[in-house]
Amino acid sequence: MPFSPLPDILTDQLTDLTEELLHTRHIRLLMLDFDNTIVPYTTNVPTEKMAAWLGRMNASDITLCVVSNSHNDRVPQFCREYDLDCITHAKKPFSKGIQACLTRYGIPPGEAALVGDQIFTDTLGANCAGVTSILVKAIHNHTFWLKARHVLELPFIFAARKRRIEK
């Protein structure tokens, strides 16, 4: 699969993605990064807007699964509360967790997408696995290292700016 750090789709936040947009891309499985994509690192409580989006998407025909590198119990706990399946210890950008998710649901890579806030894990992992990569802005870069990582990602975000979806 292609080794590319450029996302297929750019958007500000996860809640910008709609069932209709995913259908136009023939996406049946949406894999979600957890930290800084659904909630900040500092909490397990989603905004009302995020909770409503999760409810709408769970009621749609799009399958959702959290695919996270986390080793923390907060991810499975959150997923149980919001009726989401999850795969932890995903090892993104390697394809272990992404492939496990595709296999679990029997969905080919061309009908799946992975959305996350990091180019060097989420976008690169999605692209190498052959699934649509969707980059969202991090919810909250609260540490120096998260801010520094974002600066390193800016050239790739700039190169992919024409892939931005309109709300």
Side-chain angles (χ1 to χ4, degrees), residues 69-90:
N69 286 350
S70 179
H71 295 245
N72 195 310
D73 288 339
R74 66 192 277 267
V75 176
Q77 289 171 355
F78 179 93
C79 290
R80 281 190 296 275
E81 186 173 338
Y82 288 91
D83 196 28
L84 298 167
D85 195 7
C86 73
I87 293 174
T88 57
H89 306 83

Side-chain angles (χ1 to χ4, degrees), residues 5-14 16-17 37 114-124 132-138 149-150 153-154 156-158 160 163-165:
L6 299 181
D8 296 314
I9 299 171
L10 282 169
T11 190
D12 288 337
Q13 54 195 346
L14 180 58
D16 292 338
L17 299 177
T37 300
L114 184 136
V115 58
D117 67 299
Q118 295 186 51
I119 284 182
F120 302 119
T121 55
D122 305 312
T123 298
L124 189 58
T132 299
S133 57
I134 304 171
L135 182 68
V136 297
K137 290 181 181 175
R149 184 209 73 221
H150 178 70
E153 292 176 339
L154 286 175
F156 303 105
I157 293 168
F158 182 76
R163 300 170 184 194
R164 177 164 295 285
I165 62 166

Side-chain angles (χ1 to χ4, degrees), residues 1 13 20 24 33 41 43 46 48 50 57 70 73 78 81 84 89 91 99 102 104 113-114 117 133 146 148 161:
M1 293 297 150
Q13 54 195 346
E20 296 76 24
T24 64
D33 177 51
Y41 283 98
T43 184
E48 285 183 32
M50 182 62 71
M57 292 303 288
S70 179
D73 288 339
F78 179 93
E81 186 173 338
L84 298 167
H89 306 83
K91 300 187 184 220
Q99 291 300 326
L102 293 170
R104 180 178 293 179
L114 184 136
D117 67 299
S133 57
L146 291 173
R161 70 190 180 282

Side-chain angles (χ1 to χ4, degrees), residues 19-113:
E19 183 180 359
E20 296 76 24
L21 171 72
L22 298 172
H23 283 159
T24 64
R25 300 278 187 141
H26 307 288
I27 293 169
R28 298 188 302 134
L29 171 63
L30 184 61
M31 294 176 266
L32 310 167
D33 177 51
F34 185 71
D35 287 313
N36 256 357
T37 300
I38 299 174
V39 294
Y41 283 98
T42 56
T43 184
N44 288 346
V45 180
T47 63
E48 285 183 32
K49 184 177 181 180
M50 182 62 71
W53 182 87
L54 289 168
R56 279 192 311 278
M57 292 303 288
N58 269 335
S60 76
D61 63 349
I62 304 292
T63 301
L64 298 179
C65 182
V66 172
V67 177
S68 174
N69 286 350
S70 179
H71 295 245
N72 195 310
D73 288 339
R74 66 192 277 267
V75 176
Q77 289 171 355
F78 179 93
C79 290
R80 281 190 296 275
E81 186 173 338
Y82 288 91
D83 196 28
L84 298 167
D85 195 7
C86 73
I87 293 174
T88 57
H89 306 83
K91 300 187 184 220
K92 297 174 291 182
F94 302 105
S95 63
K96 175 187 178 264
I98 297 167
Q99 291 300 326
C101 189
L102 293 170
T103 300
R104 180 178 293 179
Y105 291 103
I107 293 179
E111 296 177 17

